[in-house]
Amino acid sequence: MKMKRHNVKIKAICLLLCIFFCTVHMACKKLIAVDEPINTLTTTEIFSTDATATASMAGVYSTMINGSIGGSAAGSSGSEFSAGVTTIVSAQSSDELYAYSSVSNPSADVYGSNHLTALNAGYSTPIWTSAYDIIYKSNSVIEGISASRASMLHDSVRNELTAEAKFARAFSYFYLTNFFGDVPMALTVDFNKTENLARMPQQQVYRQIITDLKAAQAALPADYSGGHGERIIPNKWAATLLLARAYLYTGDYADAATQASAVINNSSLFGLEPDINNVFSTTSREAVWQLKQTATDGTLKNATPEGIALSASTTDHHGYPNYGLTNELLSAFEPGDQRRVKWVDSTDDANQGGPGSTPQPQPMIYYPYKYIISFGNADASQPPPQYYTVLRLAEAYLIRAEAEANGATGGAAAAIADLNIIRNRAGLPNLSSNLIQQQVISAVAQERRIEFFAEWGHRWFDLKRTGQAHAALSAIPAKQPWAGDYQLLYPIPQSEIIIDHFLTQNAGY
Amino acid sequence: MKIFRLLLLFICLLTNVKLFAQQQQTITLSLKNAPLETVLAQIKKQTGISFFYNKDIISIAGKITVQAEKKDLQTVLNLCFKNTPVTYAVVNNIVVLVNKNAKKNADGTPELANDLFTQITVHGFVYNTQGVRLNGANVIIKRSHLGTTTSANGEFTLSGVRTTDTLRISFIGYDAQRVLASDGEFSIQLKETKNELDAVEVQAYGNTTKRLAIGEISQVNALDIERQPISNPMLALKGLVPGVLITPTSGYSNAPVRVEIRGRNSIDPTSVSDPLYIIDGVPLIQANIGLQQGGYQTGSTGLQQAGVSFSGGQSPFAMLNPNDIESITVLKDAAATAMYGSRAGNGVIIITTKKGKAGKTQFEASAGQMINRVIGQYAMLNTTQYLQMRREALRNDGLSPTVANAPDIALWDTTRNIDWQKQLWKSAISSHIQATLSGGSELSTFRISGSYVSGQDVSPLANENTNKSANVSFNFNHHSLNQKLSVGFTATYGYTAANQISVGGASTLAPDLPPIFDKNGNLNYASWNAAGIGTSFPFGGLLQPSISSSDLLNSSLNVGYQIINGLKVNVIMGYNLGLNNNSLTTTIASQDPINNPSASAYFGNSRTDGWNITPQVDYSRQIGRGKLTALMGANLNNTTATGITTSAFGYTSDLLTKSVNNAPLVSSYQNYSQSKYVDLHGRLNYNWEDKYIIEVSGNRDGSSNFGPGRQFGNFGVAGASWIASEEKWLKKALPAWVSLVKFNASYGTTGQYPNIAYQYLSQWASSTYGGGTPFYSYNGIVPQVPIHAVNQDYQWETDKQLNIAMDLGFLEDRLTMHAAVYRKRSDNQLASLPTPVFTGFANVEGNSKADVQNSGVEVNLNARLVDAKDFSWSAALAFSHNENKLLAFPGIQYTPYYTTLKIGKSLNTVYLLHYLGIDPQTGQRGYEDFLKNGTISLGYNTPPGVGDDRGVAIDLSPKFESSLVNNFIYKGFNLVFQFSYRKMMAISPYTQTGGIFNINMPLSVFNNSWQKPGDISPNPRFSTSQGNSDGYFPNSDGAYTDGSYLRLQNVAFGYALPEKMAKKVGMQGIRLMVSMENVFTISKYPGIDPELPFGSQPQAKTFNGQVTLTF
């Protein structure tokens, strides 16, 4: 009898236990549900309101000028294609700058001498990494917005941010393809789809750039409301100008001229600054898109990345800068050119101590002085006098001039007229109106060389796309012996080729 | 070979010892015409042997006359029944008397009619020596191997027992007892065993013994912990547990201790090797979210999850008082750990704190002092020799000394001769006191203890590198009167405060450097600035203090109820909380005044907390001739960790640096992680007559650290044990001195889950992952950026483990040996996988294709060599060897590991140039041109030996480890010493080039350096700078040497005053102990400490003296 009761008891207990553990098990999924992290936001959260979504795009711009390692501003350290590196390396690879340190150690100057190898091309990785970083962040914004069903993320904001992200993506691919040629096209954040990408022909890269820019152009506002009047958020005109550049680079002169005209014709927003000292200022009417530094930035302070990288290390022309302007460039200026007067400075005092310190006389070195705030006089407590100008109106004139010289509506005469606008502003006389087409094309190249010297790689890219690179560079004494035209493309970072075996190295490396 | 020699020595020692032979019981009888009953009663009285007979035997036997003196039983019985028709048979220690004329069995023995044996029901209680009733003791009938277990109050009832039966009563941890069933009513007291094979050993969710365990379990008990003068109980395992590698990560006493069980599993250098730690049933939180993230080499940062620290974090174990620990148990293989499933891939360590014991309330207090000093110093050059070297170097380089290139010659006082090691490695003293109160009754016991330690690590400054720690621990246990309900509560709280500074390579400083401080007591930057090298001033760190204080609370409540016999439910509820506050200050005083510096500081605040609930059901029952034990439980575990690091800049005075409030520039970031873990675990064990044991266990667990759909995994193991020596046929075949032969085998899986939370979730933040500086705002908006790659698909890592072991016992288990061979394979392992950066990030958390194998041998020998009344000597020898191998790695050529790992080699292998020695003509170092292409190249982007000349491979994992502990007890004296031996390769103590400014060299190198062409010497010419040939040297096999060592790891000598003396002064006991850690090292290694690199502060030698009083 007792045993029986026992058995019943055991059965009951077993049943209860079964029920208990089954419940536990079924509840497991709920039991291991955790709250979302408090120090971060999920993609869903980011794209649930206008403000947080806007912050995601602010992340793209902040990365562009400040770098991806939060706070360690690129400028002088040189880790972002969008914060000085493009200018520094391509000005050396072409014929604009030389590294001052190479005077004593020529073999160290692999860019200036065009003696790159897969192992010594130290800037390949930062250019590659920083451009793809911006692309990934842009893709994150595009995909995040398109996946978001949040009603608090309004359509106007969705459209505008998506357009901005497409602009940023196109901008990054433009530089990538101009440095490396064919490049992998990552258009999603899903690493499963991108980890084994092969390189995409440059033509297709441009096709994607143009597609993105057209979409951006259509959706971006036509004013500067995004930056509260400051030209620090790309708008319709920034997209238009970059689109004009993409057309020009791909030889579509008619479209290039049309897009350039659209910018030029908007005189209510844009106009050439009569005084070239004001071209890069925060209030410049010539600026189409500028990147704004954060005054509290511990490294940049109120300087620009190029100001820090290129100007003399202290104010008042003391302390040698890292780079000097080449004789080739200095002799290309016509006499009386205001750009030679105002955008070039020099020093012969290597003492970093600055004014009042004992001078250390050295040979005279000339350096770009487009940006007037340098490492030595940067001041976090002062507002920046200049923003880091990425796109400006002068380019629209020169794009149109080149397009016209190459057969776009207006022809050589219109081209000369456009060139003269730029020349006159620099205090130079008009060109002869009798120039034949080839001369006009050369005149455009010369004007671009002077107007955009040490600015965003214009000279390097121009030489390459117009097929002039070999002729212009192979005979320069500093580049002897000429290693070969394969150096016109930089080597793909070796570490990337190791990881992605579909990736091939550029020929010659 | 060495190990076999040691084994031989052991056996020799054993056989030389005289054994106390089992005394045969003798009987002395002198009776005349006595009735049979009287005779039998006398024999029973003298021998304890019982007799069984039918009443009519008495009359058949008649009166008996017998004379015997010290005769054995058989002789006496033969004498008794010589002239009677009575004969006898011995059945299970019982003598049965029968009529000679009765029926006989086929074999001639008298047939024992069944009705002879009255079937009775026996009933009784089982206690231990303290009167505590033993719940679940086995009561087995020897004849039939059937039986029962005691109920909650130690009671048993067993029916169907023959009066002639013997019952065997056993309980884990106690010596088994045999009793005759005839009495019917019992009160049995079991004694705690002295046999190590039967001692209680902690296992996953329960207890076992060495004799019955299937899994690989090694336990270090209180005695072995207490005798070592250590601040971190994990260090007590060093050498004692084969297969466990214990490495202190730095000389600071609160520093994390790296623990690795059975080799390195992960290819990922950021993956820590720490096992799962469980303190009193509560898993310890091992978060790794801080600024200083732990890695394979540095271990976890422990309680510190934010800020910056010299000691690499705060070890949570340094917060425990070693004297509060009852045992530290290491679970190594799948059979031992599968119940912890996915958390057990690196093994499990269970820490059990001391519990109160029933009996008189006892108060114990102890106090002591420790002295720390470095184990040795290098013989470096004095100023004359140093300057000679420097001048020769300058001459070799064609330079003449100037203030700029040689301030040590041209500027500073060359008559100074300072031994910087003496200046910077000063001995330190610490004091410790502690008190314990414990006691209780049969139903309730308690233990309260407190301790306080105040002291110092080796340090140049009197008030720095100090440590203070305080600890309180409390334990309370209660049973209900019917013993069915049990409640236990344990809480441990620890606090430490460490004040540290960091000083680099003291031994290499030039002997004529100017004084550290100037006349005004400020750092002597001026002397260095005079040479224009203020930035090289080496002593700034002296005034950059790092202060860290931590709290750790660990508490658990265990409630159990026995529903019916053999069926228990219990719930363990645990909570732990770790806090840490730290700061690292770069004071103005520590910086060069000519730079007009301002002070800056890092502040870190971290909190880790976790709760844990484990409901369980335990069922055990005698089924047939075996005992079935089943356990089923669930575990729910929640942990959160958060850390905030604040950087403060621009302090204009050092007085302001204590608080972040006074800083003009502040930036701050937070790290956070929350994880939930749930499992359902079970174990089924069937033990057939202590002869065959099979066990299956496993669990299904889920973790929130995985993405949706990937959260659950299954793990399990099957194992079997065969105690061959219990087989009758083998028992006969084996010599009598073999007391145990046991074989074990198990195969199963455990796993690993990612220790970083939320990796499956796409996350955005305003600073980079892991807490970089925040991104600057843009357009007035604080930016948000994606911070890591997202992989929703990563899954449980599986470690497949095979373990085969053998146990041998000799001479009634006085010498025991346990030997295990194992193989462990970790594949599909969780790692940070490299991806091309155009995917967004350089790596993603995922499952790597690498398959890593660890295989090895572990041997333990334990011997009670002498076990006399006043003198005993026991010894334990441990030996282990592990081989690590990257078994396979498909696609390794598409990963960065291609340049650091090779298939078939150990993960800890370094690839090196082959060093050819010194060119007698130039005095330069030379290397082999492995690729035979005319140049020496050392590349890090190519596989070793393929794209460069690194043709030599050296595995830095220890080849084997061994330790020998000897324990002598003579009356009140106790001497224990432990030797450790490790065979390994190490980095040579000195790999630099002699002659560089402010780098001193050992005298032995100086005396053997190249000076002129034609010199054949082992060391290169002096030079003021490192050429390529010198720069390659650390990457060549010339920089590695045999680092094997034999070390007297510790010695402890204790003396307990005779009880009488203690009682005279009103105490129960007085004990004195002196102990020493790192006593001496014998090694061919040319430096001081093969475990630490040259120039860094060697490990400390610790002396400890203490007095313990018991009231």
Side-chain angles (χ1 to χ4, degrees), chain A residues 79-94:
Chain A
S79 61
E80 301 290 311
F81 86 99
S82 49
V85 171
T86 294
T87 298
I88 294 162
V89 296
S90 48
Q92 292 176 81
S93 285
S94 61

Side-chain angles (χ1 to χ4, degrees), chain A residues 13 17 25 31-33 35 39-43 55 62 71 132 136 194 226 232 292 294 298 496 498-501, chain B residues 563-564 617 670-672 676 678 700 704 758 762-764 768 776-779 783-784 836-840 894:
Chain A
I13 289 161
L17 283 172
H25 197 214
L31 286 174
I32 54 168
D35 298 333
N39 60 331
T40 61
L41 294 167
T42 62
T43 299
S62 182
Y132 278 113
Y136 179 84
T194 54
I232 58 173
K292 180 182 181 177
T294 312
E496 293 282 276
I498 290 174
I499 298 169
D500 177 7
H501 53 291
Chain B
I563 300 168
I564 51 165
V617 186
Q670 181 178 27
N671 288 315
Y672 175 80
K676 276 187 181 170
V678 65
R700 172 169 172 79
S704 66
Y758 300 121
S762 60
Q763 292 183 86
W764 296 64
T768 45
Y776 293 116
S777 63
Y778 193 85
N779 193 19
Q784 292 287 338
V837 295
F838 48 77
T839 62
Y894 308 121

Side-chain angles (χ1 to χ4, degrees), chain A residues 20-21, chain B residues 339 614-617 631-635 679-683:
Chain A
F20 172 72
F21 283 113
Chain B
M339 297 255 278
T614 313
Q616 279 185 155
V617 186
L631 183 145
M632 193 169 178
N635 183 10
D679 79 9
L680 206 56
H681 55 258
R683 175 169 55 211

Side-chain angles (χ1 to χ4, degrees), chain B residues 585-827:
Chain B
T585 312
T586 307
T587 57
I588 294 173
S590 72
Q591 301 175 67
D592 192 345
I594 66 162
N595 293 336
N596 197 17
S598 63
S600 60
Y602 286 105
F603 296 91
N605 298 290
S606 37
R607 176 195 162 100
T608 49
D609 74 295
W611 52 259
N612 179 62
I613 300 176
T614 313
Q616 279 185 155
V617 186
D618 231 320
Y619 182 67
S620 69
R621 208 190 140 169
Q622 198 69 31
I623 293 180
R625 292 167 73 172
K627 185 178 185 181
L628 175 82
T629 319
L631 183 145
M632 193 169 178
N635 183 10
L636 178 60
N637 187 214
N638 177 78
T639 60
T640 53
T642 170
I644 296 181
T645 302
T646 305
S647 323
F649 306 97
Y651 290 109
T652 49
S653 157
D654 288 343
L655 292 173
L656 303 172
T657 57
K658 282 175 195 157
S659 167
V660 57
N661 295 352
N662 307 322
L665 265 171
V666 172
S667 78
S668 196
Y669 65 86
Q670 181 178 27
N671 288 315
Y672 175 80
S673 139
Q674 185 190 7
S675 294
K676 276 187 181 170
Y677 170 89
V678 65
D679 79 9
L680 206 56
H681 55 258
R683 175 169 55 211
L684 216 55
N685 178 299
Y686 189 64
N687 177 344
W688 181 271
E689 297 181 1
D690 282 356
K691 201 188 292 177
Y692 312 107
I693 307 171
I694 52 166
E695 185 174 286
V696 287
S697 65
N699 81 343
R700 172 169 172 79
D701 39 10
S703 163
S704 66
N705 288 1
F706 289 100
R710 304 277 181 194
Q711 291 169 321
F712 289 88
N714 298 317
F715 303 90
V717 66
S721 184
W722 176 38
I723 303 168
S725 49
E726 290 292 309
E727 300 278 6
K728 285 206 179 95
W729 56 269
L730 191 67
K731 230 177 201 169
K732 275 181 202 155
L734 285 173
W737 49 272
V738 179
S739 48
L740 174 75
V741 179
K742 178 191 171 193
F743 300 95
N744 265 352
S746 71
Y747 181 78
T749 57
T750 53
Q752 197 96 278
Y753 73 87
N755 48 15
I756 309 173
Y758 300 121
Q759 289 293 296
Y760 61 89
L761 204 62
S762 60
Q763 292 183 86
W764 296 64
S766 54
S767 60
T768 45
Y769 190 70
T773 329
F775 280 95
Y776 293 116
S777 63
Y778 193 85
N779 193 19
I781 299 165
V782 175
Q784 292 287 338
V785 299
I787 51 172
H788 63 81
V790 176
N791 179 5
Q792 300 233 327
D793 294 331
Y794 59 87
Q795 309 173 30
W796 300 90
E797 165 182 336
T798 312
D799 299 312
K800 302 186 194 82
Q801 303 186 49
L802 173 71
N803 192 81
I804 297 170
M806 180 169 79
D807 281 278
L808 293 175
F810 304 102
L811 302 167
E812 295 178 340
D813 303 334
R814 287 184 52 176
L815 172 67
T816 59
M817 188 192 89
H818 176 80
V821 290
Y822 61 89
R823 195 191 73 195
K824 179 174 181 183
R825 287 182 175 165
S826 316
D827 62 0

